């Protein structure tokens, strides 16, 4: 054994003792990169039984890949040639069991008493988990940065601590401008204080809040976002952060509004045709009765003329024969006019005419109330009155096939609603009920009718409206799709697939309510609407 090998062997005894006391992988090599020793955990990684089995081996004798072994030799050479340490080398290592890990390696030159390099000492730690975590975090950050939806994280007081780039695109504020700000910076003034109070009460008690918010960009323009806020709790179940996910739905809301308006106009157009029929009936008998009264008045006028002539003869003290002749003439006029018939029928004609005018007035009033101008704010309304109005204007839809039964809760308080939207929702559901009943009836039996039942009641802090029909029911295969936009089971040209979608969008998204369906094939369907009372 030459002096350098002897020297390294002596150092190896010391290194062996020290290496077993540290949790790192430790090895040492001679000047030719031949292993002279290692600790136990390094030997295990190399697939050896004992640390002593490493002596005399090179990296090419161990499980490492050739590329890894080449790299290790290159690093060894650099450390020994420059006689300088090489620290924090990130590299891979293929283990004996086939797994590959990431390691962080340090290599320093070993020197003799003459300060000559006689080998290297290497240590490394397994950083695979840390590397994977960093990679995972990098991937997650990249995903969060590239996702189209805005994501905001605040502390429990509501101060923004992080936001992804989509939030900047959404609001017009830079991420630096948003940091440490409260989201109230984005308030548009379109929501009352109670709206935000309810939002914070919801998330403060640990629940998820979902809804639509009209916010204001940096340039002052308003936009609508669909947002969910999720509380994040620590191990002690205390809230530490809030995560808000935001989606810009401004264009979608505009499109929905346009579709809503189109559906509304279509509904009004259909109603106009039905109302023309509804109004036509009373107008007909008003017209017929008016003509009858006109003709009757002409007959009565003849009688009155004869009475007038009789009175003139009396006043002139005319001869009795002349007065008698005039009385006969008056009697003839009464007989020709059928005075008894006129006396009986004219009051009835007047009464029917007044009833017809009243019926027309009711229809026109209902149409006027139904066509309530759209409002950006909710109005507290008597929903029973609104439902009754809609029943009246849809009479031509349901009357041929159904009877309508109502049971309104007289103690139900007024409900805050977007009136025009609410009316359209009830119209769509009643129209659907009428169509379902029509499909269930025997077309040969014109006397057969179904039933549409509408009830209201207070359930907790909600107004509940149930609209039931005795129609065909909804198949299980169709039920999950009924609120989808453009979905319809009706023939082409007989349904747009917009009605129930607009109902869902209005009740759930605009009114913050809910709509559920109970149905049984061959029995009928019930739509259950719940609207918040506050």
């Amino acid at each position: 054994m030459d002096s350098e090998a002897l020297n390294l062997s002596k150092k190896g005894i010391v290194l062996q003792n020290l290496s077993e006391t540290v949790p790192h992988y430790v090895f040492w090599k001679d000047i030719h990169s031949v292993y002279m020793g290692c600790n136990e955990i390094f030997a295990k990684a190399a697939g050896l039984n004992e640390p002593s089995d490493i002596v005399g081996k090179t990296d090419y004798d161990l499980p490492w890949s050739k590329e890894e072994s080449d790299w290790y030799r290159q690093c060894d050479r650099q450390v020994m040639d420059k006689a300088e340490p090489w620290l924090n080398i990130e590299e891979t290592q293929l283990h004996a069991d086939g797994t590959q890990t990431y390691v962080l390696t340090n290599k320093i030159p070993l020197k003799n008493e003459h300060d000559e390099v006689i080998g290297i000492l290497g240590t490394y730690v397994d950083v695979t988990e840390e590397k994977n975590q960093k990679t995972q975090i990098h991937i997650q950050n990249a995903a969060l940065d590239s996702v189209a939806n805005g994501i905001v994280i605040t502390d429990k007081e509501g101060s923004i601590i992080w936001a992804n780039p989509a939030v900047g695109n959404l609001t017009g504020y830079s991420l630096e401008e948003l940091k440490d700000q409260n989201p109230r910076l984005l308030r548009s003034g379109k929501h009352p204080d109670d709206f935000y109070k309810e939002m914070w009460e919801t998330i403060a008690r640990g629940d998820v809040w979902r809804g639509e918010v009209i916010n204001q960009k940096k340039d002052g323009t308003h936009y609508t976002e669909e947002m969910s806020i999720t509380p994040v709790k620590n191990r002690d179940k205390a809230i530490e952060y809030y995560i808000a996910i935001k989606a810009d739905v401004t264009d979608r809301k505009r499109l929905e509004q346009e579709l809503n308006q189109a559906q509304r106009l279509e509904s009004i157009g259909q109603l106009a045709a039905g109302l023309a029929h509804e109004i036509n009936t009373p107008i007909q008998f008003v017209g017929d009765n008016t003509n009858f009264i006109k003709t009757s008045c002409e007959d009565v006028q003849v009688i009155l003329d004869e009475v007038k002539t009789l009175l003139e003869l009396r006043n002139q003290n005319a001869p009795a024969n002349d007065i008698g002749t005039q009385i006969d003439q008056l009697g003839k006029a009464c007989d020709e006019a059928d005075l008894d018939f006129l006396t009986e029928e004219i009051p009835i004609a007047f009464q029917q005419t007044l009833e017809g005018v009243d019926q027309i007035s009711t229809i026109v009033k209902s149409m006027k109330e139904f066509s309530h101008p759209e409002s950006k704010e909710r109005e507290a309304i008597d929903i029973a009155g609104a439902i009754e109005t809609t029943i009246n204007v849809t009479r031509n839809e349901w009357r041929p096939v159904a009877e309508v039964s109502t049971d309104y809760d007289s103690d139900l308080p007024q409900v805050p609603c977007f009136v025009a939207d609410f009316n359209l929702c009830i119209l769509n559901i009643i129209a659907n009920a009428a169509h379902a009943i029509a499909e269930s009836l025997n077309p040969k039996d014109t006397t057969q009718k179904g039933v549409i039942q509408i009830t209201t009641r207070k359930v907790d802090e909600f107004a509940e409206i149930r609209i039931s029909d005795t129609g065909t029911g909804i198949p299980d295969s169709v039920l999950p799709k009924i609120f989808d936009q453009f979905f319809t089971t009706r023939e082409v040209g007989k349904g747009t697939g917009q009605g129930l979608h607009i109902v869902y969008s209005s009740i759930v998204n605009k009114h913050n309510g809910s709509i559920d369906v109970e149905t049984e094939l061959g029995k009928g369907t019930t739509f259950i609407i719940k609207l918040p009372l506050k």
Side-chain angles (χ1 to χ4, degrees):
M1 182 181 293
D2 59 30
S3 60
E4 287 185 0
L6 181 62
N7 200 340
L8 187 55
S9 179
K10 290 178 180 179
K11 289 180 181 288
I13 296 173
V14 177
L15 291 171
Q16 188 69 55
N17 292 329
L18 288 174
S19 66
E20 299 299 347
T21 65
V22 296
H24 295 178
Y25 297 78
V26 183
F27 60 91
W28 51 98
K29 302 176 182 178
D30 66 14
I31 199 167
H32 304 293
S33 290
V34 175
Y35 282 97
M36 299 298 292
C38 67
N39 64 355
E40 189 171 343
I41 60 173
F42 184 93
K44 184 177 179 181
L48 303 174
N49 295 324
E50 300 290 340
S52 59
D53 294 341
I54 196 85
V55 177
K57 296 184 182 299
T58 69
D59 289 307
Y60 296 102
D61 299 318
L62 300 178
W64 334 138
S65 68
K66 182 179 184 303
E67 292 77 10
E68 289 173 339
S69 297
D70 289 343
W71 168 250
Y72 298 157
R73 294 294 288 267
Q74 180 182 337
C75 294
D76 293 348
R77 195 74 267 145
Q78 181 171 324
V79 170
M80 289 187 284
D81 288 348
K82 292 186 176 181
E84 293 178 351
W86 193 352
L87 307 178
N88 298 321
I89 312 167
E90 189 174 293
E91 45 195 20
T92 61
Q93 187 175 83
L94 186 64
H95 286 228
D97 61 5
T99 61
Q100 188 173 53
T101 59
Y102 291 92
V103 295
L104 195 64
T105 304
N106 296 307
K107 292 183 177 181
I108 61 173
L110 290 175
K111 299 180 180 180
N112 60 19
E113 63 271 18
H114 304 295
D115 201 32
E116 296 171 336
V117 175
I118 58 173
I120 62 163
L121 171 67
T123 67
Y124 67 82
V125 291
D126 188 336
V127 294
T128 305
E129 185 175 350
E130 180 182 344
K131 177 78 173 177
N132 289 340
Q133 287 176 348
K134 286 181 178 179
T135 302
Q136 186 68 23
I137 291 171
H138 176 73
I139 293 171
Q140 289 173 346
N141 286 340
L144 292 174
D145 286 346
S146 62
V147 73
N149 288 349
I151 302 174
V152 176
I153 301 177
T154 73
D155 60 23
K156 61 183 179 181
E157 280 76 33
S159 295
I160 297 172
I161 58 179
W162 183 86
N164 71 340
V167 175
N169 298 333
L170 182 63
T171 65
Y173 289 97
S174 68
L175 303 186
E176 291 73 20
E177 289 174 314
L178 290 171
K179 188 170 172 56
D180 298 326
Q181 292 287 341
N182 189 287
R184 70 171 64 95
L185 172 73
L186 303 173
R187 288 190 183 181
S188 63
K190 293 293 184 179
H191 300 285
D193 291 341
D194 286 346
F195 175 84
Y196 297 102
K197 181 182 178 183
E198 185 272 333
M199 177 193 295
W200 276 101
E201 286 176 349
T202 299
I203 60 178
R205 65 173 176 262
D207 295 332
V208 177
W209 184 91
R210 293 183 177 87
E212 290 183 356
V213 185
I214 299 174
N215 275 338
Q216 181 170 290
K217 296 187 178 186
K218 184 179 180 180
D219 63 8
T221 58
H222 291 172
Y223 66 97
T224 304
E225 64 181 30
E226 197 172 71
M227 179 168 66
S228 67
I229 306 175
T230 304
V232 179
K233 300 177 182 179
N234 59 23
R235 292 181 180 178
D236 298 325
K237 306 298 183 183
I239 295 173
E240 284 194 354
Y241 306 101
Y242 296 108
I243 298 178
I245 300 178
K246 303 162 172 280
D248 187 350
V249 294
T250 307
D251 291 339
R252 191 189 78 190
K253 296 298 291 183
R254 187 181 298 112
L255 177 61
E256 285 182 354
Q257 189 174 13
E258 291 172 357
L259 290 172
N260 194 338
Q261 183 65 14
Q263 171 74 11
R264 185 177 173 79
L265 291 173
E266 180 187 357
S267 299
I268 290 174
Q270 292 173 348
L271 287 175
L275 289 172
H277 178 77
E278 287 293 313
I279 291 174
N280 186 56
T281 301
I283 280 180
Q284 271 189 331
F285 64 73
V286 166
D288 291 343
N289 284 335
T290 302
N291 286 328
F292 167 73
I293 292 170
K294 177 178 177 294
T295 303
S296 299
C297 286
E298 291 172 353
D299 292 339
V300 170
Q301 186 62 50
V302 172
I303 294 172
L304 290 176
D305 288 343
E306 297 296 341
V307 170
K308 181 179 178 183
T309 301
L310 179 62
L311 291 174
E312 288 174 349
L313 290 173
R314 188 197 68 175
N315 293 336
Q316 295 170 0
N317 294 317
N321 287 339
D322 291 345
I323 292 175
T325 301
Q326 184 58 37
I327 289 174
D328 291 341
Q329 191 68 25
L330 176 61
K332 182 181 178 182
C334 289
D335 290 340
E336 288 178 353
D338 196 352
L339 187 59
D340 290 339
F341 173 78
L342 294 180
T343 303
E344 182 180 347
E345 291 297 324
I346 287 176
I348 295 174
F350 271 118
Q351 182 61 35
Q352 288 178 343
T353 300
L354 291 173
E355 288 175 357
V357 170
D358 187 57
Q359 188 174 345
I360 294 169
S361 175
T362 299
I363 293 171
V364 172
K365 181 182 177 184
S366 295
M367 192 60 187
K368 181 180 178 182
E369 290 176 355
F370 177 83
S371 303
H372 189 286
E374 285 198 67
S375 171
K376 293 184 179 179
E377 301 295 333
R378 301 187 199 199
E379 299 176 39
I381 65 165
D382 171 19
I383 60 171
I387 293 170
E388 200 65 29
T389 292
T390 308
I391 291 173
N392 285 333
V393 300
T394 56
R395 187 179 301 275
N396 195 60
E397 285 278 346
W398 56 262
R399 190 169 62 175
V401 296
E403 301 290 343
V404 173
S405 167
T406 59
D407 181 13
Y408 303 127
D409 183 352
S410 58
D411 295 326
L412 185 65
Q414 290 194 322
V415 181
C417 289
F418 296 96
V419 184
D421 289 306
F422 177 76
N423 288 345
L424 188 58
C425 289
I426 301 301
L427 179 146
N428 279 316
I429 296 177
I430 291 177
N432 270 27
H435 297 154
I437 290 173
E439 291 176 7
S440 70
L441 299 180
N442 181 352
K444 296 182 180 180
D445 185 356
T446 57
T447 63
Q448 188 182 15
K449 285 191 175 185
V451 176
I452 298 173
Q453 185 174 38
I454 303 175
T455 64
T456 65
R457 63 173 180 157
K458 183 175 181 291
V459 179
D460 299 325
E461 295 304 312
F462 293 86
E464 181 186 87
I465 305 154
R466 286 177 173 257
I467 304 177
S468 303
D469 66 65
T470 56
T472 55
I474 303 172
D476 290 341
S477 59
V478 171
L479 192 58
K481 307 173 187 176
I482 61 171
F483 295 118
D484 291 353
Q485 195 168 17
F486 305 121
F487 177 78
T488 180
T489 57
R490 301 181 67 193
E491 296 176 18
V492 175
K494 290 190 175 182
T496 63
Q498 286 289 98
L500 288 181
H501 173 73
I502 287 174
V503 171
Y504 182 88
S505 178
S506 176
I507 297 299
V508 176
N509 299 331
K510 197 165 185 178
H511 286 86
N512 295 323
S514 65
I515 181 166
D516 295 300
V517 184
E518 295 175 355
T519 188
E520 185 177 350
L521 278 178
K523 296 288 187 180
T525 300
T526 299
F527 285 88
I528 305 160
I529 295 171
K530 287 185 178 180
L531 298 176
L533 292 171
K534 295 181 180 179

